[in-house]
Amino acid sequence: MGIRTLLAMLVVALVVIGALATQESYKVFMPGLLQGAVLTIEIAILGSLLAIVMGVLAALARMYGPAPLRWLATVYVEIFRGTSALVQLFWLFFVLPQFGVTLNAFLVAVLALGLNVGAYGSEVVRGAIQSVARGQWEACTALNMSRPQMLRRIILPQAFVAMIPPWGNLFIELLKSTALVSLITLSDLAFKAQQMNQNTFKTIPIFTLVLLMYLAMSLVVTIGMRLLERRASLGLARGKAA
């Protein structure tokens, strides 16, 4: 799907949200839902940043680190890929205090979602690095580059382009997973919607707005990643031409 189509979908979603927000049966819910959406966006952004850091570090540790680091990275990836994000949230929020470690709900949400997506992201990074043509590695060796120089100057810039689409999918999954944080007392978009629905029983207007708001946020992520992919591809093409 092209960027123009995605932009058109985003505009339509925003126009529909704006139109519904002017109607009596809908506008009463908008302030609360917007407040919840802000928290959802904050968790998604911070969780995504953590996921990127952990994904890159785990991938590099598993591929090039010493044995203890490889072992730690593998344990991290397998635990967070092999267990439910909901269980991870509950474990950090309800179980850690039993060991004397108490974290606030917002920090737990960022950590759990970021670490969860970062585990999947490490495989994306590892696969992208391994997809770089063998000739590039051999050329770096012929130029007597050290491994850090090889990765920084040649391999990672090429692998970065291949990482962007799957990372975009992971960011959207993280965004949708933020709905889980309502179960650890955070008033995100999903929590606000549930609360309003329980108080008013206006299911259709509430969840129609929530659906459109999640769609709009997902489209923003998708468009941003498509633009980033296009720019990175052009930059890589210029580099090869030079």
Side-chain angles (χ1 to χ4, degrees):
M1 189 179 294
I3 291 179
R4 290 183 180 178
T5 303
L6 293 170
L7 283 170
M9 290 178 63
L10 177 59
V11 170
V12 169
L14 293 175
V15 168
V16 172
I17 291 172
L20 292 177
T22 62
Q23 298 183 21
E24 285 296 327
S25 57
Y26 287 83
K27 70 179 182 180
V28 66
F29 303 115
M30 282 302 295
L33 292 178
L34 288 173
Q35 185 180 11
V38 169
L39 182 60
T40 292
I41 292 169
E42 290 175 350
I43 294 171
I45 291 173
L46 294 176
S48 296
L49 293 175
L50 176 61
I52 293 170
V53 172
M54 293 304 300
V56 172
L57 291 179
L60 294 178
R62 293 181 76 185
M63 296 178 73
Y64 307 114
L69 274 182
R70 288 201 304 271
W71 183 85
L72 284 174
T74 300
V75 168
Y76 156 65
V77 170
E78 295 306 324
I79 287 177
F80 279 90
R81 283 198 312 167
T83 57
S84 163
L86 179 60
V87 173
Q88 293 160 19
L89 272 171
F90 283 173
W91 203 92
L92 291 175
F93 191 69
F94 296 113
V95 178
L96 272 187
Q98 306 301 317
F99 297 96
V101 180
T102 302
L103 304 174
N104 66 60
F106 183 83
L107 181 57
V108 166
V110 171
L111 285 175
L113 297 181
L115 291 173
N116 179 273
V117 171
Y120 289 95
S122 70
E123 293 300 293
V124 170
V125 174
R126 190 161 68 99
I129 291 174
Q130 291 174 340
S131 72
V132 175
R134 186 69 185 172
Q136 300 293 317
W137 296 89
E138 293 172 352
C140 293
T141 303
L143 292 171
N144 200 30
M145 287 186 176
S146 65
R147 181 166 288 166
Q149 288 177 322
M150 187 185 307
L151 288 170
R152 186 177 70 254
R153 296 182 181 180
I154 307 298
I155 304 303
L156 286 179
Q158 296 181 60
F160 177 69
V161 178
M163 295 179 202
I164 295 173
W167 269 110
N169 292 334
L170 290 176
F171 293 153
I172 291 174
E173 286 300 318
L174 191 152
L175 173 65
K176 293 188 292 185
S177 296
T178 57
L180 297 174
V181 306
S182 62
L183 300 174
I184 58 169
T185 72
L186 286 176
S187 299
D188 72 316
L189 181 56
F191 179 87
K192 290 288 187 180
Q194 293 167 357
Q195 191 177 50
M196 291 176 182
N197 187 51
Q198 290 171 357
N199 292 335
T200 65
F201 300 103
K202 297 292 183 66
T203 303
I204 293 176
I206 292 170
F207 286 103
T208 298
L209 285 171
V210 170
L211 176 73
L212 291 169
M213 291 170 80
Y214 272 114
L215 175 61
M217 289 187 284
S218 295
L219 287 170
V220 169
V221 173
T222 303
I223 292 168
M225 296 304 286
R226 291 285 181 86
L227 292 172
L228 179 61
E229 182 183 9
R230 178 183 292 180
R231 182 167 184 175
S233 298
L234 289 173
L236 183 61
R238 290 195 195 100
K240 288 182 177 179

